[in-house]
Amino acid sequence: MLENMTLKSVSDEIINSHSQQGLACENKEFIQYVIDLINKTPRSDRSMTMAELQSIKKTITTIPTGKQRHLLRAVDNVLFYLHQHCAWQLPELELKRFHDTQLAWMQLISLQAHDASALYQAYQKYKPIFVQDRPELNIGFIALALSIEVAPLSLRYWAEVLNEPASIELFDNQLTIVVQHQTPAARHPQQPSYFTRYALTPFSCRLLIDYFNSEPDKITLKTLHHALDQWLSRAPFYLASRNVAQWQHCFQQIWLVQYQFPCALLLDISQPHRHVAFVPQRPHPQYEQHIKLIYDQDWIAPAYHTFTANKVERWPHLALINAIKNQPSSQWQHFLNTQFATPPPSSHDNIIAHVMYYFTYDLIQFGGVRATSLQLDSIRKYTRIYHQLEDYPLSYIEACDHEALMDWAIEVYAHFDNDSERWLMYNFLRFLPQHPVTEHFDISQFTSPLLSATVDPFCLSADQCLVTIKALVSQSTGSPLQRLFCATALILGFYGALRRGEVSRYVAKILLGMWITHINLRYVSVKPPKVTLKINKNGLFIFHYLPLSPN
């Protein structure tokens, strides 16, 4: 499985997730033992059957010492994490037990009810005094204001925010604070950074700005916790010291009672990884000209007559790398558009060299996941696995077959035995769904289900969807049916949350229904229509179909 190097941190993450909620959790050795039992069964989906769960518990009950009790409790800890953080589907009987865990969390919050009420009332009275007297800023008071006015996050998150002046952003005419996620997947250096935005009140924003302008030293969780204890022990609060989880419970009680947040929403707002923000994209300055070309067929259909049975002597992507190695990066686009406007022919016996060519082409043209432009050494690093791929050819027929393609990918991935090479292979496999021949490839089977689930947060707004639909139906370059089905695909994808393949199959059924109706009306034999879904250079799904026609 991918990212075995991060699986070592899963047990720590399970313990941290429980401690942040103030819930009891077993020691690391017991958690790791259960994780190893779960990981013995190869799996790509995020689910567990009752038979698998019973098998795990049966293995534990064979232990003749008191260690058995700790391991059974560790099973509950791990399953709770897998369900809450990793989106696992668990047996219904096991899910009912989680209600007890949620109840325990709410009971811990309710224990802080008296002090939370006193804290909130004292804060409301002290706030105008602070504004009038302007005493020296204290990180304990800043953490208090953020927890009451912004979100009841753990002090661990607020410590990171106070160490990052760039965390304040103006988004959609609203001052916000950016909170980076702290899950293992979010911290992986090769993955996009996931974050959440919280709205800032004017008072909390001014506190942060003044604090950052003072150029403070870096703080730790321990420093912030100590400062909060000291600040709230004085007038007008007079509260006793608490641990980090208890302080969060105290603030959550304020949001539960004073702001009347329901339990489910309180859990969401308290844990940033449960809701994800995105970086808005500015419209292209020449978008109106691009809309006129929205139906241009700029993909290259497979030229079957160019297929050759001869073995590819040289990997064509090497020509791309050699062409740019002595050129400044500013000239790379020019070389791609002039010298490499036509892709090289592909062999039907092995299309991997052809896929590697497009993979390298995109790295040069668009850069990496985070960097908009990659250095030549980085491009060579991402593509050096072609040496190992020489021993694993993939024919065109195998690439079109889902099962055969997945078997090939699993076999190749198993060939790599260290984490760095496996990451390079995984990065290449992520490109397969972007290639027309291998667009049905399922990359999720190469991500460990024991890691927290990640969601791509970027999506169109309702207004952007409406603008796109108008652009699709208003252009005269596309045929009427093409405009109709493109707009239908967008509506289905946006409101039905359907994937590209699902939209394509649905629209194909519509075409088939029209074809049957066409037969009934005309009483002639016609060929069924064929429809494919392409992505053009504007990033839009464009339907290309053979129209209804008699034999």
Side-chain angles (χ1 to χ4, degrees):
M1 287 295 177
L2 172 71
E3 300 183 24
N4 289 327
M5 74 289 282
T6 62
L7 288 181
K8 301 174 183 177
S9 65
V10 172
S11 56
D12 293 330
E13 187 62 27
I14 294 174
I15 296 173
N16 289 337
S17 65
H18 281 74
S19 64
Q20 285 190 16
Q21 292 185 250
L23 300 174
C25 188
E26 288 296 330
N27 295 333
K28 184 176 181 179
E29 59 174 313
F30 303 120
I31 298 294
Q32 190 61 50
Y33 184 91
V34 175
I35 292 175
D36 293 338
L37 287 179
I38 295 175
N39 209 31
K40 281 184 179 179
T41 303
R43 69 180 77 243
S44 58
D45 59 334
R46 297 173 181 261
S47 64
M48 178 180 293
T49 64
M50 180 58 74
E52 291 175 326
L53 181 57
Q54 290 175 345
S55 176
I56 292 172
K57 291 185 176 181
K58 184 177 180 180
T59 301
I60 294 175
T61 53
T62 59
I63 300 174
T65 66
K67 183 179 180 181
Q68 180 183 136
R69 293 191 304 273
H70 294 278
L71 290 175
L72 289 175
R73 286 196 293 263
V75 170
D76 293 337
N77 297 147
V78 173
L79 293 182
F80 182 75
Y81 170 81
L82 294 179
H83 179 67
Q84 291 287 331
H85 294 254
C86 303
W88 276 46
Q89 297 295 323
L90 299 177
E92 187 66 27
L93 291 177
E94 194 65 29
L95 293 178
K96 292 181 179 179
R97 302 183 61 184
F98 292 159
H99 295 301
D100 297 335
T101 306
Q102 294 287 357
L103 179 60
W105 173 64
M106 291 305 301
Q107 288 176 339
L108 292 171
I109 293 177
S110 64
L111 290 176
Q112 307 295 327
H114 178 271
D115 288 345
S117 177
L119 173 60
Y120 182 76
Q121 298 300 328
Y123 174 77
Q124 296 299 327
K125 293 179 180 179
Y126 178 75
K127 183 177 174 180
I129 298 175
F130 178 89
V131 173
Q132 181 178 356
D133 297 344
R134 294 298 179 93
E136 183 180 354
L137 284 177
N138 183 283
I139 57 175
F141 178 70
I142 297 176
L144 172 65
L146 292 173
S147 298
I148 292 180
E149 298 195 6
V150 179
L153 304 184
S154 169
L155 295 181
R156 186 185 305 273
Y157 281 103
W158 290 133
E160 285 198 359
V161 167
L162 293 176
N163 286 327
E164 184 53 62
S167 58
I168 300 178
E169 286 188 2
L170 181 64
F171 176 75
D172 199 16
N173 296 323
Q174 169 70 56
L175 286 168
T176 64
I177 192 76
V178 173
V179 179
Q180 299 292 334
H181 295 182
Q182 298 179 1
T183 59
R187 290 194 296 262
H188 196 283
Q190 300 289 0
Q191 293 286 353
S193 59
Y194 291 94
F195 62 94
T196 299
R197 285 191 179 91
Y198 289 92
L200 287 173
T201 61
F203 179 71
S204 61
C205 183
R206 181 58 184 267
L207 283 178
L208 285 175
I209 292 175
D210 291 346
Y211 175 73
F212 291 140
N213 288 339
S214 66
E215 299 181 357
D217 297 331
K218 294 290 184 179
I219 64 172
T220 63
L221 172 61
K222 183 178 180 180
T223 304
L224 183 59
H225 180 204
H226 178 73
L228 185 63
D229 278 342
Q230 293 296 315
W231 180 266
L232 293 179
S233 66
R234 64 180 70 169
F237 305 101
Y238 301 111
L239 295 178
S241 299
R242 288 168 169 79
N243 61 37
V244 173
Q246 289 173 335
W247 278 126
Q248 188 182 17
H249 292 157
C250 191
F251 299 133
Q252 287 170 336
Q253 176 66 22
I254 292 175
W255 285 74
L256 180 68
V257 176
Q258 303 296 335
Y259 303 149
Q260 298 182 352
F261 266 52
C263 299
L265 187 55
L266 180 63
L267 182 62
D268 287 344
I269 197 173
S270 302
Q271 300 183 11
H273 66 269
R274 295 176 68 91
H275 49 113
V276 194
F278 63 91
V279 178
Q281 302 294 321
R282 295 181 178 273
H284 195 279
Q286 297 179 341
Y287 73 94
E288 292 184 355
Q289 289 79 356
H290 289 175
I291 287 179
K292 297 178 181 179
L293 306 176
I294 198 171
Y295 288 110
D296 283 5
Q297 181 175 321
D298 55 11
W299 62 85
I300 299 175
Y304 299 100
H305 66 279
T306 65
F307 281 7
T308 173
N310 298 328
K311 182 179 179 180
V312 178
E313 297 297 335
R314 189 171 183 227
W315 290 75
H317 78 280
L318 296 178
L320 288 170
I321 296 177
N322 291 332
I324 66 172
K325 67 180 181 180
N326 296 322
Q327 302 294 331
S329 58
S330 60
Q331 296 296 321
W332 288 0
Q333 285 285 350
H334 175 72
F335 271 86
L336 293 178
N337 295 333
T338 56
Q339 298 187 17
F340 299 95
T342 303
S346 174
S347 170
H348 65 80
D349 288 336
N350 186 13
I351 69 166
I352 290 301
H354 203 61
V355 177
M356 180 63 75
Y357 172 88
Y358 281 106
F359 177 58
T360 309
Y361 191 99
D362 278 11
L363 288 176
I364 296 173
Q365 184 178 22
F366 302 110
V369 174
R370 295 191 177 184
T372 56
S373 178
L374 293 176
Q375 298 293 327
L376 183 60
D377 290 342
S378 297
I379 296 174
R380 284 173 172 165
K381 172 187 174 182
Y382 287 132
T383 59
R384 71 186 183 196
I385 57 172
Y386 78 94
H387 294 291
Q388 289 88 341
L389 290 175
E390 287 181 339
D391 299 328
Y392 295 93
L394 179 67
S395 68
Y396 181 84
I397 295 177
E398 291 173 332
C400 294
D401 183 86
H402 177 73
E403 297 297 334
L405 177 61
M406 297 307 301
D407 292 341
W408 172 86
I410 293 173
E411 181 184 5
V412 175
Y413 188 79
H415 170 77
F416 299 93
D417 53 3
N418 64 66
D419 293 331
S420 60
E421 289 183 343
R422 284 195 166 196
W423 162 250
L424 293 175
M425 184 61 199
Y426 172 74
N427 202 43
F428 175 71
L429 292 178
R430 287 201 301 177
F431 182 75
L432 293 184
Q434 314 305 319
H435 194 271
V437 179
T438 56
E439 65 179 3
H440 52 87
F441 181 76
D442 184 10
I443 189 59
S444 65
Q445 294 194 24
F446 293 85
T447 303
S448 172
L450 294 176
L451 293 175
S452 55
T454 55
V455 179
D456 183 0
F458 186 76
C459 62
L460 291 176
S461 65
D463 292 338
Q464 291 171 329
C465 181
L466 179 60
V467 170
T468 308
I469 291 174
K470 288 182 177 179
L472 287 171
V473 300
S474 62
Q475 302 305 311
S476 59
T477 52
S479 65
L481 276 181
Q482 194 174 29
R483 281 178 279 166
L484 171 63
F485 287 122
C486 286
T488 303
L490 177 60
I491 294 172
L492 290 173
F494 182 81
Y495 291 102
L498 299 181
R499 293 172 293 182
R500 179 172 49 162
E502 294 170 332
V503 172
S504 179
R505 289 191 293 271
Y506 187 84
V507 176
K509 289 181 180 179
I510 296 177
L511 276 176
L512 183 59
M514 293 177 58
W515 168 64
I516 295 174
T517 304
H518 187 70
I519 294 176
N520 294 335
L521 292 177
R522 297 187 57 188
Y523 298 100
V524 296
S525 176
V526 296
K527 295 181 179 179
K530 296 181 180 180
V531 59
T532 58
L533 192 57
K534 302 286 186 178
I535 300 180
N536 70 357
K537 62 185 177 183
N538 298 308
L540 290 169
F541 299 147
I542 303 299
F543 278 95
H544 181 62
Y545 66 95
L546 297 178
L548 301 171
S549 60
N551 281 335

